[in-house]
Amino acid sequence: MKKDPIAYIALAAICLIWGTTYLALRIGVTHFPPFLFIGIRQTVAGLLLAGFLLLSGKSVWPSKNHLIRQAIGGFFMITLGNGLVAWAEVTIPSGVAAIICTLMPMWVILTNLFINTEEKITWPIFLGTVLGLGGILLIFSEFISDLANPLYRVGIFMTFLATVAWATCSVWMKKSNTNNDPFLNAGMQMFFGGLFSFLISFGVDDLSNVTWSAEAGYSLLYLTIFGSLIAYACYTYALRKLPMTIVSLYAYINPIVAVFLGWMILDEKLNTKIWLAILITILGVYVVNRGYQFVSKWKIRLSKS
């Protein structure tokens, strides 16, 4: 694949920006219903991005089939992938959510292996998976008293579900890649994901007493502009131009940024055990990624020989 420096710049932006969004999201959803918050954020961002591209003539109007494909992507990656994390952060710390989301690259690889049934799980992939899950268990041991709270446990489960939804759909979007404008795709996915979030909000959010606050407003503004408009557009571009396993490396950086900011601003717990858990989780994901890359290169060499 030909190197694209802009794609790597986009990936660097994702690494930094999405690391800060866990903090901003935690602040926002403690003052405002989570799915309603996500609905407003993503619908506005999607309208701004897709509307600008279409009305300015920089992109052509998509076909019906393309719209359906982006709507599906928006539901899994935005409504579930983003919305469930927002809902979970009402009850769990932003740093814990970020560390769980570190597993996303591992789910990407395991999804690829599940789809490509001729490929087998190797020892490095198995070892890396065990290490990654071990790091998550170490984090849970530090918050063992919180696990007695049913809402905390649900929040943990929903975060896991969000990472699986995001990873699975990322693989599907990559395999169904077309030559359409990746920025228009990002705008449409955010718009549809925001609309689906509104629908879910009516069923799960407490809308009886919705009040705005400065904290909710500032976090919504930051997440709309940086977390959605800029970072998600960068993600879609990088996803189109770079291998999925390379794009997913942003998950190594995000939790470090998120845990540090959560400790510094929200006074979330941060100690030696948590740092160790982060390192073990990242090591596990790294081992899985390297093991998968080695197998892929070996198969390419065999096919050429």
Side-chain angles (χ1 to χ4, degrees), residues 24 39 61 106 136:
W61 288 88
M106 188 170 71
I136 297 299

Side-chain angles (χ1 to χ4, degrees), residues 268-281:
E268 294 181 351
K269 186 182 291 188
L270 179 60
N271 54 31
T272 303
K273 183 185 287 189
I274 292 176
W275 278 120
L276 181 61
I278 294 172
L279 292 176
I280 291 174
T281 305

Side-chain angles (χ1 to χ4, degrees), residues 4-305:
D4 184 344
I6 297 178
Y8 285 97
I9 293 173
L11 181 58
I14 298 165
C15 291
L16 293 176
I17 295 173
W18 272 350
T20 67
T21 57
Y22 291 95
L23 171 67
L25 192 58
R26 170 71 172 171
I27 294 173
V29 299
T30 54
H31 293 86
F32 205 75
F35 275 102
L36 181 60
F37 186 86
I38 293 298
I40 297 172
R41 165 193 169 185
Q42 302 290 11
T43 303
V44 171
L47 279 174
L48 289 174
L49 181 58
F52 169 76
L53 293 172
L54 292 172
L55 295 177
S56 64
K58 296 182 180 296
S59 297
V60 298
W61 288 88
S63 65
K64 179 181 177 181
N65 288 337
H66 190 69
L67 278 174
I68 293 174
R69 187 160 56 246
Q70 301 312 311
I72 293 172
F75 175 74
F76 282 97
M77 298 178 70
I78 298 298
T79 310
L80 297 184
N82 196 209
L84 290 178
V85 172
W87 189 88
E89 283 200 34
V90 176
T91 57
I92 67 174
S94 61
V96 172
I99 295 171
I100 295 174
C101 290
T102 305
L103 296 175
M104 195 280 294
M106 188 170 71
W107 302 142
V108 167
I109 290 171
L110 294 177
T111 300
N112 267 319
L113 291 173
F114 179 78
I115 293 173
N116 300 319
T117 54
E118 70 277 4
E119 297 185 14
K120 304 297 182 182
I121 294 180
T122 62
W123 276 108
I125 292 175
F126 176 77
L127 175 62
T129 301
V130 172
L131 278 173
L133 294 176
I136 297 299
L137 290 176
L138 185 59
I139 275 289
F140 291 164
S141 70
E142 187 62 21
F143 295 88
I144 193 70
S145 60
D146 295 316
L147 290 173
N149 181 353
L151 289 178
Y152 189 92
R153 295 198 300 270
V154 173
I156 294 295
F157 174 76
M158 290 302 177
T159 308
F160 272 108
L161 185 59
T163 62
V164 173
W166 183 282
T168 304
C169 192
S170 292
V171 172
W172 178 72
M173 295 294 289
K174 180 72 175 178
K175 289 185 178 296
S176 62
N177 185 27
T178 63
N179 293 324
N180 297 83
D181 186 347
F183 296 107
L184 178 61
N185 291 346
M188 289 189 294
Q189 289 166 22
M190 287 188 290
F191 174 72
F192 285 116
L195 289 184
F196 291 131
S197 297
F198 279 127
L199 295 176
I200 293 179
S201 175
F202 293 131
V204 302
D205 284 340
D206 181 8
L207 304 177
S208 60
N209 189 25
V210 176
T211 57
W212 283 97
S213 66
E215 290 85 355
Y218 291 141
S219 62
L220 180 62
L221 184 63
Y222 176 80
L223 288 168
T224 300
I225 296 175
F226 289 92
S228 294
L229 271 174
I230 296 176
Y232 196 68
C234 288
Y235 178 76
T236 305
Y237 184 83
L239 189 64
R240 180 180 175 185
K241 298 293 184 178
L242 300 173
M244 184 62 228
T245 50
I246 298 299
V247 176
S248 64
L249 296 181
Y250 75 85
Y252 297 141
I253 310 298
N254 287 172
I256 297 174
V257 176
V259 169
F260 180 76
L261 288 177
W263 166 75
M264 185 173 64
I265 297 176
L266 297 180
D267 199 28
E268 294 181 351
K269 186 182 291 188
L270 179 60
N271 54 31
T272 303
K273 183 185 287 189
I274 292 176
W275 278 120
L276 181 61
I278 294 172
L279 292 176
I280 291 174
T281 305
I282 291 176
L283 176 62
V285 176
Y286 174 79
V287 171
V288 170
N289 190 51
R290 292 298 296 173
Y292 185 76
Q293 288 181 350
F294 174 79
V295 171
S296 299
K297 290 178 181 178
W298 180 72
K299 291 181 69 175
I300 291 174
R301 288 175 182 175
L302 283 180
S303 64
K304 291 181 178 179
S305 61

